[in-house]
Amino acid sequence: KRRPAMQKSSVDGVGTTAWITAALAGLEELFPLRLAEPWDNCGILIDAEDKAEVTDGSIFLTNDLTLPVLEEALARNAKLIITYHPRPFAKFKVVQCEDVTQRIVLRCARKGIVVYSPHTCCDNAAGGVNDWLAEPFREGAAEYGTIEAQKNGQEGEGSGRSVTLKTPISLEFAVGLVKKHLKLERLRVAFAEGLLPPGPADQAQQDALKSGQVKRILFQAGAGHGVLAGKGGDLWVTGEMGHHDVLSAAAAGTSVILTEHTNTERGFLPRMGQLLEAAMKARGCTGVPVHVSQIDADPLRII
């Protein structure tokens, strides 16, 4: 079968225009680089000399830029890859094909692909990943906001999100909301100390899920302990935590839901694409195809 011709970007529906500059401006508007954590590597990671002249191609979104994902992006004629997690992340003195990250850098540079990461800018932005992660619980919220407000930031910007519900819900119901929102069949759950009654393990777990009540819930995408530690709450929802950090939370009376790291982030990508299209349209740039990776997935499986 013949592949359909790629759309040309247009200004006000006529002609063609270079669109990458408009896309980068849209990303800065949505997820400002000033929101990046000091340790992070956000923004343009791989540049292209002719990015201001590109009039064809597409935008491709992924959570992690792996070699298989790059092949998928190339098949989509991507000229701008937005990878939620930065790759490359660390500095290097040489660029060699033996290293998988450096191989990705070389291939993108050779193809003239711009690679951009919004990472913690997107976590901390108003309307970003953390707001999306907490979304199922906001309807019944009496209070909602950031865990740590962004210094000199605007309203809604900052690390993590905190929901205080008007009426407590069972831990079982909270687990169900997270599963539905993230489209997951299984989660890892640590029960606050004292919730698990004595008796057969399976029955004790079901009893704890039904009897455990949560009212204040804290959210942080990815690895959440650095933001959540010491902040209290009846329940934490995050991607991953260290063993001893989970024990400390449970001892302090907090139950923990762990979804695996990228499962707290990947589901936001379609929303990111929609937001970016709207931001580009506001700049008079339309018609650029936006694709979300279909093969990107969390590397860990619960068997």
Side-chain angles (χ1 to χ4, degrees):
K1 294 182 180 180
R2 294 181 61 187
R3 293 181 61 189
M6 298 299 293
Q7 283 182 285
K8 296 283 189 177
S9 57
S10 63
V11 177
D12 297 329
V14 294
T16 61
T17 183
W19 55 266
I20 292 181
T21 301
L24 295 175
L27 287 166
E28 173 61 21
E29 176 189 331
L30 294 167
F31 316 116
L33 289 175
R34 60 181 171 78
L35 299 180
E37 296 294 337
W39 49 264
D40 206 1
N41 190 29
C42 297
I44 296 176
L45 307 181
I46 304 172
D47 209 348
E49 287 184 329
D50 65 346
K51 65 177 179 289
E53 302 166 8
V54 173
T55 58
D56 64 343
S58 68
I59 299 171
F60 187 87
L61 283 72
T62 183
N63 209 82
D64 288 295
L65 183 54
T66 62
L67 281 172
V69 168
L70 178 55
E71 291 294 341
E72 183 188 13
L74 291 172
R76 291 289 195 174
N77 195 27
K79 294 298 183 181
L80 172 61
I81 295 177
I82 302 170
T83 176
Y84 180 80
H85 285 146
R87 192 165 197 176
F89 181 80
K91 296 179 180 179
F92 39 79
K93 294 182 179 181
V94 297
V95 185
Q96 299 178 331
C97 292
E98 288 78 8
D99 180 272
V100 63
T101 295
Q102 293 170 21
R103 201 181 322 156
I104 288 171
V105 170
L106 287 169
R107 291 197 67 188
C108 289
R110 186 168 67 247
K111 296 290 186 178
I113 298 171
V114 176
V115 176
Y116 187 101
S117 174
H119 201 205
T120 52
C121 305
C122 190
D123 287 355
N124 296 336
V129 166
N130 279 323
D131 282 318
W132 169 81
L133 183 61
E135 209 165 75
F137 296 84
R138 294 181 63 179
E139 184 176 347
E143 297 177 10
Y144 179 76
T146 60
I147 295 175
E148 296 179 4
Q150 188 75 22
K151 186 177 181 181
N152 301 320
Q154 299 178 12
E155 184 177 356
E157 294 178 344
S159 301
R161 297 297 184 265
S162 171
V163 173
T164 301
L165 300 173
K166 298 173 184 176
T167 305
I169 59 176
S170 70
L171 183 56
E172 181 180 45
F173 189 71
V175 167
L177 285 179
V178 174
K179 283 183 174 181
K180 182 179 179 180
H181 186 50
L182 302 187
K183 297 181 174 60
L184 297 174
E185 294 183 3
R186 298 178 182 275
L187 302 168
R188 292 191 290 163
V189 178
F191 296 96
E193 285 189 7
L195 274 185
L196 281 171
D202 289 346
Q203 185 59 52
Q205 178 173 297
Q206 291 304 312
D207 291 345
L209 285 169
K210 293 179 184 300
S211 64
Q213 297 289 296
V214 296
K215 187 172 184 180
R216 183 166 180 254
I217 309 168
L218 305 186
F219 302 83
Q220 174 59 43
H225 182 257
V227 172
L228 303 175
K231 301 302 190 300
D234 303 309
L235 175 65
W236 293 353
V237 179
T238 188
E240 63 173 311
M241 284 174 55
H243 172 77
H244 296 287
D245 297 327
V246 172
L247 289 177
S248 295
T254 300
S255 296
V256 179
I257 291 176
L258 300 179
T259 70
E260 304 308 337
H261 188 115
T262 66
N263 291 330
T264 57
E265 304 157 342
R266 183 172 294 101
F268 180 73
L269 295 180
R271 172 97 44 100
M272 182 189 291
Q274 294 167 359
L275 292 171
L276 182 55
E277 284 184 302
M280 292 174 67
K281 185 177 181 180
R283 289 167 170 79
C285 186
T286 61
V288 182
V290 178
H291 306 288
V292 177
S293 174
Q294 299 301 300
I295 65 173
D296 172 57
D298 195 274
L300 292 173
R301 301 286 192 275
I302 301 175
I303 305 300

